[in-house]
Amino acid sequence: QSGLVPAYSAESDSEDEGAEKDEKEGRLTDWVKLACLLCRRQFPSKEWLLCSPQIQVFPLNKETIIDGLSLLCQTGKRLEHELKNKIYSYIHIRFLDLSNNYISDLSPLAPMTHLLWLKVDTNSVTSLKGQPLAEFTFLQWLSVASNQLVDIEGLVGPSLETLILSGNSIQKISGLQSADFANLVILELRANQLETTSGFDLPNLRKLYLVIQASSGLQVQTAAVCGF
């Protein structure tokens, strides 16, 4: 078993305490005993110890993980005006879930231009107009279900593949054209107040889920269409 060396064991409690102190102070090597204080192993010679990988220890906190974090969930936090203070630093986030809050304004998300997946279900969004959706050029999955939308004016998504708008109060669809949503393949519009399917032209759409409310209010037509 080449490469394996005996485990390092201190001779006394005082030496143990000293080693722990050294480790806390950033000293990871005992040059007297030729031992690594991090993995607690002793090496046969100084040369072996010098050739071993040098490990740097950093504290796990917001500052050290902020650049590498790709997924962030802030659900059920009662977020509203304090949203900017909670997430403004996480500009490299790819996947973001902000469901079950009181959010009406998505503008604090504007710096998150790397977003691929965004869920803001069960919030207080009343309009998509003026929201920073145009900044999310890589966004492929968007859910704004169970909010207070009455239309989709302001919605943009050149890279969107899945769009979920169920559980709002949308009555008419307009602006969903292939030029702006060329990659959209799944559209979820159930639990709205739609009276017609006119207003969109999406030749690449593969799945459409919606409920049509007849003008009389007495008839409901459910449709799930695949393979246009």
Side-chain angles (χ1 to χ4, degrees), residues 44-182:
S45 67
K46 182 178 180 180
E47 288 71 22
W48 276 56
L49 186 54
L50 289 172
C51 290
S52 66
Q54 299 300 305
I55 301 174
Q56 290 181 297
V57 179
F58 297 96
L60 185 61
N61 53 35
K62 180 179 178 180
E63 286 69 28
T64 57
I65 68 173
I66 197 169
D67 289 336
L69 194 65
S70 62
L71 184 151
L72 179 65
C73 295
Q74 289 287 313
T75 60
K77 301 289 186 179
R78 300 181 179 272
L79 297 179
E80 188 177 3
H81 302 298
E82 66 272 24
L83 176 62
K84 183 176 181 179
N85 295 330
K86 290 286 185 180
I87 64 173
Y88 76 97
S89 299
Y90 298 96
I91 61 175
H92 300 294
I93 290 294
R94 266 65 165 180
F95 305 89
L96 179 62
D97 188 350
L98 295 172
S99 300
N100 299 296
N101 286 291
Y102 301 110
I103 299 168
S104 58
D105 180 16
L106 302 178
S107 60
L109 308 184
M112 297 183 173
T113 55
H114 300 288
L115 277 175
L116 300 175
W117 190 98
L118 175 61
K119 184 176 183 179
V120 288
D121 293 0
T122 318
N123 276 283
S124 302
V125 180
T126 59
S127 175
L128 297 176
K129 189 176 181 179
Q131 306 287 8
L133 297 177
E135 305 295 328
F136 310 144
T137 55
F138 303 107
L139 191 65
Q140 300 174 13
W141 193 98
L142 173 64
S143 181
V144 197
S146 301
N147 277 268
Q148 302 171 25
L149 297 175
V150 296
D151 57 46
I152 61 169
E153 185 178 357
L155 177 63
V156 292
S159 299
L160 272 182
E161 298 178 2
T162 299
L163 175 60
I164 302 173
L165 298 171
S166 56
N168 283 282
S169 300
I170 300 171
Q171 297 180 348
K172 294 182 180 180
I173 294 293
S174 60
L176 282 178
Q177 306 298 320
S178 59
D180 299 317
F181 298 91

